[in-house]
């Protein structure tokens, strides 16, 4: 079994040390980076290339909190999990692939990380397939109906980043880049009827 490399970013040294200690006791995870400084995190992510970044959203500049994935666009395989110790609105938290609460016990943290890693592994195995997954079909139907990425994310209760990933996979698997051609593809493959299109 492959070890999952974890980076942790939180302004509290106590939280950093505690979460790192918990994860170091689990053989499936390796903490490769922990920092209380965002500049250090951004610099070292490119060096250590972790699979998952667990980050307190308060470390992200307020003006950039609505576009979290754009901060890490040069690290497409990185999964970003929010480490929540205070209130953040749900719309902002949807940008993350998972959420760990400061009050979560070890079992819950492990469960959240396992789900994030399973999603990463599923996406890797989907890359080999040319058949659209059920979720990709859902995204394609929403696209054909004229919905924007954020509307699709809200409708399917997934992050905007996940919508973008599904869109890339749809284009790769179908070889079709334009929304209008994808709409025709959806109709021809009986994913929706012409009357459903706005």
């Amino acid at each position: 079994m492959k070890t999952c490399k974890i980076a942790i970013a939180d302004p509290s040294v106590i939280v950093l040390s505690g979460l790192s200690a918990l994860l170091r006791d689990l053989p499936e995870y390796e903490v490769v980076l922990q920092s209380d400084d965002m500049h250090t995190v951004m610099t070292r992510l490119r060096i250590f290339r972790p699979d998952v970044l667990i980050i307190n959203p308060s470390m992200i500049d307020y003006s950039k909190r609505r576009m979290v994935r754009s901060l890490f666009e040069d690290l497409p395989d990185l999964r970003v999990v929010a480490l929540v110790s205070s209130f953040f609105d749900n719309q902002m938290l949807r940008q993350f692939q998972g959420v760990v609460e400061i009050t979560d016990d070890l079992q819950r943290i492990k469960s959240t990380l396992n789900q994030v890693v399973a999603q990463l592994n599923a996406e890797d195995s989907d890359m080999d397939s040319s058949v659209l997954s059920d979720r990709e079909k859902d995204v394609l139907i929403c696209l054909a109906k004229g919905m924007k990425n954020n509307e699709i994310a809200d409708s399917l209760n997934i992050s905007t980043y996940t919508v973008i990933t599904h869109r890339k996979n749809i284009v790769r698997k179908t070889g079709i880049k334009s929304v209008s051609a994808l709409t025709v593809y959806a109709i021809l493959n009986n994913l929706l009827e012409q009357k459903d299109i706005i």
Side-chain angles (χ1 to χ4, degrees), residues 115-177:
Q115 288 174 358
V116 170
V117 171
Q119 178 187 8
L120 176 64
N121 293 338
E123 287 174 9
D124 288 346
S125 66
D126 279 350
M127 294 296 181
D128 301 331
S129 173
S130 61
V131 178
L132 296 181
S133 70
D134 289 340
R135 187 53 103 182
E136 288 165 349
K137 289 177 185 175
D138 293 339
V139 170
L140 177 57
I141 290 166
C142 291
L143 280 172
K145 290 180 178 179
M147 296 171 74
K148 296 182 177 6
N149 288 346
N150 60 340
E151 294 170 330
I152 296 170
D154 288 342
S155 172
L156 300 177
N157 201 24
I158 57 178
S159 72
T160 305
Y161 172 74
T162 303
V163 172
I164 293 168
T165 300
H166 287 312
R167 286 187 69 165
K168 288 177 184 175
N169 289 340
I170 291 166
V171 169
R172 182 183 51 76
K173 290 178 179 182
T174 63
I176 302 169
K177 294 183 180 178

Side-chain angles (χ1 to χ4, degrees), residues 6-20 22-23 34-36 52-60 65 68 79-88 92-93 96-105 109 112-113:
I6 305 279
I8 305 170
D10 193 278
S12 167
V13 175
I14 294 171
V15 172
L16 275 176
S17 301
L19 185 54
S20 294
L22 285 173
L23 294 177
Q34 64 182 56
S35 180
D36 62 355
V52 178
L53 168 63
I54 304 172
I55 185 169
N56 187 321
S58 68
M59 292 188 69
I60 299 169
R65 287 186 188 168
V68 171
R79 295 297 172 257
V80 185
V81 173
L83 176 57
V84 178
S85 58
S86 60
F87 175 78
F88 288 98
M92 195 275 290
L93 291 176
F96 296 87
Q97 281 78 42
V99 176
V100 171
E101 304 260 350
I102 195 79
T103 56
D104 288 349
D105 62 13
I109 294 169
T112 300
L113 291 176

Side-chain angles (χ1 to χ4, degrees), residues 70-81:
S70 66
L71 295 174
F72 309 105
E73 63 190 359
D74 59 330
L75 298 164
D77 296 330
L78 179 68
R79 295 297 172 257
V80 185
V81 173

